[in-house]
């Protein structure tokens, strides 16, 4: 569904560029058709950049303090913005239009368990294209799940994850898998864990998941957006119930990776999950978390570690 919606949006953007180019030639005196199209394309790019900038402004206005070691200078802020803009443009204008994962023929010994990729709000499996390529190169079998309908209750996504886990275990012959989930997908994974238990999961790794809600979800549509929202300074009732249902041994199965400069999860420390293994980054936006080179490097390390369920939780921080 998301792919179809994005294809229609891409068509509308192309038509808008052509329309503005025609207007530029007819009303603004631009003589060259090429220059008119370039001007119209630049205006569209500027509009997309303004949307990203607005998200950064809104998230910062309700954001958590940035520790000294993660604070950015002018160059760092520019890299943050351009990296998030590039990731947003790529995923929404190409990756999610043609959601494909790269195939790994077999599990390479010592390279980790099979991985199930769970995307976030208003996304599909195409979000994982760059991580999928690296997993395939490492010989790690993986698969994704497309969560639909896009505005459904998070609990409605749990059977879809269960079905995907059963299929992945059957295909690989593995008794356990690792779940890697972005944003809302991390909440879906926790909801699945609450319903089905930990027998088939060795680790859940979340990227930029609003474990305690995000103020920006108050502006979004759908039952799932309301479940991810914050009411005042407190998480939604659904999030509170989910947290109350989790025992310490459940939290010890989770690794939460997040950025102090997340432009969707605000406050950013909402992604910090007590009792879990928490890994913080700086200078990375929300969409860029699954394509940033340093995050991907650390994520692959986490995937290939042989975790034990009884391992004590710990906390690490990376700049």
């Amino acid at each position: 569904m998301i792919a179809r919606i994005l294809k229609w949006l891409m068509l509308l953007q192309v038509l808008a560029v052509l329309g503005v180019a025609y207007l530029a030639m007819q009303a603004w005196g631009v003589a060259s058709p090429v220059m008119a199209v370039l001007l119209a394309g630049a205006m569209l790019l500027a509009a997309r950049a303004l949307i990203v900038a607005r998200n950064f402004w809104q998230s910062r206005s309700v954001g958590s303090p940035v520790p000294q070691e993660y604070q950015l200078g002018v160059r760092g802020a520019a890299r943050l913005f351009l990296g998030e803009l590039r990731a947003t443009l790529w995923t929404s204008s190409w990756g999610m239009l043609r959601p494909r994962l790269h195939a790994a023929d077999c599990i390479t010994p010592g390279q980790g368990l099979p991985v199930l990729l769970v995307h976030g709000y208003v996304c599909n499996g195409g979000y994982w294209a760059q991580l999928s390529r690296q997993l395939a190169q490492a010989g790690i079998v993986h698969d994704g799940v497309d969560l639909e309908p896009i505005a459904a209750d998070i609990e409605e996504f749990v059977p879809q994850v269960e079905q995907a886990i059963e299929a992945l275990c059957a295909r690989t012959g593995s008794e356990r898998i690792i779940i890697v989930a972005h944003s809302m997908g991390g909440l879906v994974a926790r909801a699945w864990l609450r319903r089905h238990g930990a027998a088939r999961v060795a680790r859940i790794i979340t990227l930029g998941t609003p474990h305690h809600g995000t103020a920006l979800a108050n502006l979004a549509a759908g039952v799932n957006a309301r479940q991810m929202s914050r009411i005042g300074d407190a998480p939604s009732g659904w999030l509170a119930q989910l947290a109350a249902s989790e025992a310490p041994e459940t939290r010890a199965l989770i690794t939460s990776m997040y950025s102090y400069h997340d432009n969707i999860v605000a406050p950013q420390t909402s992604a910090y999950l007590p009792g879990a293994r928490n890994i913080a980054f700086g200078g990375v936006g929300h969409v860029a978390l699954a394509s940033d080179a340093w995050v991907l490097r650390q994520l692959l390390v986490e995937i290939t570690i042989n975790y034990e369920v009884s391992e004590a939780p710990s906390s690490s921080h990376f700049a």
Side-chain angles (χ1 to χ4, degrees):
M1 178 182 293
I2 287 295
R4 285 199 305 272
I5 293 173
L6 289 175
K7 287 175 182 177
W8 279 109
L9 288 175
M10 277 297 298
L11 177 60
L12 289 175
Q13 290 179 77
V14 170
L15 293 175
V17 166
L18 294 177
V20 172
Y22 178 80
L23 178 63
M25 295 181 67
Q26 296 298 314
W28 301 343
V30 179
S32 168
V34 174
M35 289 301 299
V37 171
L38 289 176
L39 175 62
M43 293 175 66
L44 175 62
L45 180 60
R48 297 289 299 270
L50 283 174
I51 294 173
V52 173
R54 182 201 62 187
N55 289 339
F56 272 112
W57 178 81
Q58 289 177 325
S59 65
R60 191 73 299 194
S61 66
V62 292
S64 49
V66 179
Q68 181 66 37
E69 62 267 32
Y70 299 105
Q71 291 184 10
L72 303 176
V74 174
R75 288 186 179 180
R79 285 195 298 269
L80 166 66
F81 177 79
L82 292 175
E84 182 68 2
L85 177 61
R86 181 175 61 249
T88 300
L89 290 172
W90 190 92
T91 55
S92 63
S93 301
W94 182 253
M96 292 195 299
L97 271 66
R98 43 195 302 278
R100 301 173 184 174
L101 297 178
H102 298 268
D105 294 332
C106 62
I107 301 176
T108 300
Q111 291 301 301
L113 296 168
V115 174
L116 179 67
L117 304 173
V118 185
H119 65 75
Y121 180 71
V122 194
C123 289
N124 63 22
Y127 173 76
W128 298 109
Q130 296 187 57
L131 173 59
S132 174
R133 184 180 299 110
Q134 294 199 17
L135 290 174
Q137 291 172 351
I140 298 175
V141 176
H142 59 283
D143 204 350
V145 56
D146 287 337
L147 306 175
E148 294 186 350
I150 58 177
D153 188 310
I154 288 175
E155 298 289 351
E156 293 184 30
F157 298 139
V158 170
Q160 299 173 44
V161 172
E162 171 67 8
Q163 184 177 9
I165 290 174
E166 290 179 347
L168 186 56
C169 287
R171 179 160 68 94
T172 61
S174 177
E175 296 182 353
R176 296 192 303 166
I177 65 159
I178 292 172
I179 296 176
V180 176
H182 177 249
S183 195
M184 181 195 73
L187 301 178
V188 177
R190 288 173 61 197
W192 171 85
L193 186 60
R194 173 172 61 178
R195 190 180 303 183
H196 292 281
R200 288 171 298 161
V201 64
R203 201 72 182 168
I204 294 175
I205 305 171
T206 67
L207 299 175
T209 291
H211 291 298
H212 309 288
T214 171
L216 272 68
N218 299 339
L219 307 174
V223 177
N224 46 12
R226 292 195 294 274
Q227 290 171 312
M228 292 187 289
S229 66
R230 289 179 67 83
I231 303 170
D233 293 328
S236 70
W238 184 86
L239 285 170
Q241 291 175 0
L242 179 64
S245 70
E246 293 174 331
E249 56 268 25
T250 300
R251 288 286 178 88
L253 286 171
I254 301 172
T255 295
S256 178
M257 301 172 66
Y258 64 97
S259 172
Y260 275 109
H261 297 99
D262 196 304
N263 54 313
I264 298 297
V265 176
Q268 288 72 25
T269 51
S270 175
Y272 182 94
L273 189 62
R277 172 176 166 83
N278 291 279
I279 303 176
F281 295 84
V284 186
H286 187 74
V287 178
L289 278 166
S291 57
D292 178 83
W294 178 237
V295 176
L296 286 179
R297 190 157 52 243
Q298 181 62 30
L299 178 56
L300 287 171
V301 170
E302 293 294 311
I303 289 172
T304 55
I305 289 175
N306 292 319
Y307 286 105
E308 295 293 337
V309 174
S310 60
E311 181 184 19
S314 61
S315 176
S316 298
H317 292 273
F318 297 85

